[in-house]
Amino acid sequence: MIICFALATIFLIVGVFLFNGKGGWLIAGYNTMTKEEKEQYNKKKLFRAVGIVCIVCCTMLCIMGYLGHRVDAGLLQESAMVIYALIFIAVILLAIIFAGIYIKKKPDYRHR
C-alpha cells in the first residue's frame, strides 16, 4: 500500500510538471529527437497529454492502494480486486488512446 502511494506521488509530481509545459526530458523518445523532429510536434499539446496520462495513473494507483487497504482490513474480498484491476487497465488504456488522438489533432489556427 505504501508503495502504491509513493508511486502515485511520483506520477502526480511528474504529471503536474509536464502539464505545466516543463520536463520534456521525461518523455521517452522526445528527449532524443533532433531539433527539426521536435518542431513537428506541438510541444504544449504533447506535454499536456502526457501529464494528463500521468495524473490518471496517479489516481488509479491511489484507488488501488485504498482498495488494497480494504482487502487487508477484511472489508473487501480479494476476488473483487480482479474486476477493479480490469477497470483500471481499461481506464489507463483509454487515457492513452485519447491522449494520442489529442496530440494528433490538427491545430486550430483561428485562435492565434
Side-chain angles (χ1 to χ4, degrees), residues 86-105:
L86 293 174
I87 292 169
F88 293 161
I89 291 169
V91 168
I92 291 172
L93 286 176
L94 284 173
I96 292 169
I97 290 168
F98 284 129
I101 292 169
Y102 173 74
I103 292 168
K104 297 222 184 247
K105 277 176 62 175

Side-chain angles (χ1 to χ4, degrees), residues 17 21 23 45 57 64 83 87 97 104 110:
F17 197 57
K45 277 183 144 182
C57 289
M64 189 168 34
I83 296 167
I87 292 169
I97 290 168
K104 297 222 184 247
R110 292 177 293 176

Side-chain angles (χ1 to χ4, degrees), residues 12-27 30 42-52 55 102:
L12 180 65
I13 292 168
V14 169
V16 170
F17 197 57
L18 286 167
F19 194 77
N20 288 323
K22 297 182 175 39
W25 56 274
L26 292 168
I27 301 174
Y30 184 77
N42 185 335
K43 185 177 170 181
K44 183 178 178 181
K45 277 183 144 182
L46 177 66
F47 288 10
R48 181 166 286 173
V50 175
I52 289 171
I55 291 171
Y102 173 74

